[in-house]
Amino acid sequence: RIHPEDREAVIAAIHRVIEGGAESWSGEYRFRRQDGSYAYVLDRGHIIPSSRGEPVRMVGGMTDLSERKETELRLREQAALIDQASDAIIVRSLDNRVLFWNRRAEEMYGWTAAEVTGRPVAELLYADPTPLEEATALLLEQGKWSGEIEQRARDGSKLTVLARWTVLKGPSSEPLSILAINTDITDNKRIEQQLLRAQRLESIGTLASGIAHDLNNILSPILMAIAMLKEQAQGPDALALVETLRSSAQRGADLVRQIVGIARGTDGHRDLVDLRGVLEEVCHIARDAFPKNIEFEHRAVSDLLPVRADATQLHQVLMNLYLNARDAMPDGGRLSATLENMELDEAFLAGHPEASPGPYVVWRSCSSPSSPPRTWVRARAWGCRPA
């Protein structure tokens, strides 16, 4: 009646016990019922010796383990499913200590289940336990809670988690523990913020373009009137005054043109660009827009190579460098920029496999704050292949 797959092992185990002089034996195996099905049994036998000490019979009994085995099998299947889940599944006690921690939680937070079992969740996942305490209070009051919450991983990195928590209850409806299903949405939130930022920039660009268009309509007749006044002006003082008016209005028109170019963004059109002109325009805008406690220096070599690029894109990239430099000098300082030619050789390329050899134009931007922190110089370099 022993299952064919278990028979050899069971008989061998019984003989080892008998031949070894032991007093008892036990084992688990599958035993065939009368209807042909098999039951999992725990079989225990006491070995009875003869008057000469030789084993002559075995007396014992069987316990049916079928229901327990089926339960264990279901639990193993459920545990396997839980470990395959794409969400971190955590069971914690009512005082927020870890009772269960699935494999995804290990991957997401960096701790193994053995390391966290019995430890407070607040100690593991929260720099500030206040959000946990507030959410737990609502959970115990309402029976469930869901929402976004900030957590941290073992390495200190911040996680944004979509949490769905439920109170697990006993037979008498008394709360026993808390089931937490946490989904990492950190990357989704980052993408969402980038999309919102892009939408804001697009709106700002549209607004700036509209304002610039109106300003251009205002400045055009002013420039035309100045040209007429210059023809009628008499004397050097009057001519100097008209020239001052003309240069100021022209400067305003140039600023409008630059704003419109930036607001339109890049369209991928590449032309020959003299970076000296771009440097002068960016410095011009920065001098007008930045705090007056920032000094500006810029220099370009006389034989600077022209580059083929999108001028508007260059404006945006280089203006971002200047904005970063401004942010590094809240109390003022000096902002310098240099344009020079550079030949990339094999020694440089050994550490930069993404580059290719040949001539480049290099823009260097350096900020020196008036009240420097411990590391007080920020230097950036940006290269562009010449035409």
Side-chain angles (χ1 to χ4, degrees):
R1 290 181 174 273
I2 298 175
H3 194 286
E5 294 179 3
D6 300 337
R7 185 181 300 132
E8 183 179 345
V10 171
I11 293 174
I14 291 174
H15 280 282
R16 280 196 302 271
V17 170
I18 293 173
E19 294 165 3
E23 296 181 353
S24 62
W25 165 85
S26 67
E28 293 183 13
Y29 57 89
R30 287 167 287 182
F31 188 83
R32 190 175 72 249
R33 299 186 180 99
Q34 185 176 358
D35 62 4
S37 63
Y38 283 89
Y40 280 95
V41 298
L42 169 62
D43 193 358
R44 290 156 295 193
H46 180 70
I47 300 172
I48 299 175
S50 67
S51 59
R52 295 190 299 272
E54 299 173 348
V56 292
R57 66 175 58 88
M58 184 182 291
V59 179
M62 290 181 181
T63 302
D64 189 350
L65 302 179
S66 300
E67 186 176 348
R68 193 192 79 182
K69 285 288 186 179
E70 290 173 1
T71 302
E72 290 177 354
L73 179 60
R74 284 198 302 271
L75 289 175
R76 283 196 297 268
E77 291 173 348
Q78 291 168 1
L81 290 173
I82 289 173
D83 273 338
Q84 293 299 317
S86 59
D87 298 325
I89 299 176
I90 303 167
V91 179
R92 63 182 195 260
S93 61
L94 298 179
D95 62 351
N96 287 321
R97 291 183 177 272
V98 176
L99 302 177
F100 175 79
W101 186 273
N102 77 333
R103 189 173 299 168
R104 175 56 182 148
E106 292 181 338
E107 297 170 353
M108 188 165 148
Y109 296 112
W111 281 283
T112 65
E115 291 174 318
V116 301
T117 301
R119 292 179 62 183
V121 173
E123 173 188 299
L124 295 167
L125 305 182
Y126 297 89
D128 178 9
T130 303
L132 170 66
E133 295 167 356
E134 293 175 350
T136 303
L138 290 172
L139 169 68
L140 295 176
E141 178 184 340
Q142 302 173 2
K144 58 177 61 178
W145 177 86
S146 63
E148 294 181 8
I149 194 166
E150 297 295 326
Q151 295 180 338
R152 65 179 179 183
R154 183 173 192 167
D155 59 6
S157 59
K158 295 181 180 179
L159 301 174
T160 303
V161 169
L162 176 60
R164 300 174 298 283
W165 299 349
T166 305
V167 175
L168 301 179
K169 298 182 179 180
S172 303
S173 297
E174 73 279 10
L176 296 180
S177 56
I178 298 169
L179 170 66
I181 301 176
N182 297 337
T183 305
D184 184 3
I185 59 171
T186 307
D187 291 339
N188 293 344
K189 295 295 289 185
R190 186 180 299 115
I191 293 171
E192 180 183 330
Q193 291 299 321
Q194 292 173 350
L195 178 60
L196 290 174
R197 189 178 300 114
Q199 290 173 341
R200 286 198 298 269
L201 289 174
E202 183 179 357
S203 299
I204 292 172
T206 302
L207 177 63
S209 182
I211 294 174
H213 178 74
D214 291 340
L215 286 175
N216 192 56
N217 290 339
I218 294 171
L219 289 171
S220 294
I222 292 176
L223 288 170
M224 292 172 59
I226 290 173
M228 296 174 63
L229 286 173
K230 189 173 183 180
E231 295 178 357
Q232 301 175 9
Q234 298 180 357
D237 293 340
L239 286 172
L241 181 59
V242 171
E243 180 58 29
T244 301
L245 289 174
R246 188 204 63 78
S247 62
S248 297
Q250 186 60 52
R251 185 177 175 185
D254 292 341
L255 284 174
V256 168
R257 179 178 54 80
Q258 292 165 4
I259 291 171
V260 170
I262 294 174
R264 286 174 179 167
T266 176
D267 57 3
H269 184 67
R270 295 169 180 252
D271 291 314
L272 283 179
V273 177
D274 183 359
L275 283 177
R276 275 181 296 233
V278 176
L279 172 62
E280 291 174 359
E281 289 182 358
V282 171
C283 287
H284 194 69
I285 294 174
R287 280 196 180 96
D288 290 337
F290 285 14
K292 301 307 177 186
N293 57 3
I294 295 180
E295 300 178 16
F296 292 87
E297 291 181 350
H298 64 274
R299 181 179 64 83
V301 296
S302 58
D303 59 343
L304 190 70
L305 297 170
V307 299
R308 185 173 296 280
D310 186 311
T312 300
Q313 188 177 30
L314 288 178
H315 269 281
Q316 292 171 331
V317 171
L318 302 177
M319 181 56 72
N320 282 336
L321 287 179
Y322 268 44
L323 290 172
N324 289 341
R326 179 203 63 188
D327 294 341
M329 302 185 293
D331 299 320
R334 177 175 298 171
L335 197 160
S336 61
T338 304
L339 285 171
E340 57 189 16
N341 301 321
M342 176 179 287
E343 186 80 20
L344 296 189
D345 55 17
E346 296 299 330
F348 179 90
L349 296 175
H352 302 80
E354 72 282 358
S356 55
Y360 282 78
V361 175
V362 179
W363 172 300
R364 301 185 189 276
S365 176
C366 180
S367 58
S368 305
S370 300
S371 302
R374 184 174 299 175
T375 303
W376 61 277
V377 173
R378 291 186 180 182
R380 299 175 183 268
W382 183 84
C384 187
R385 289 297 300 269

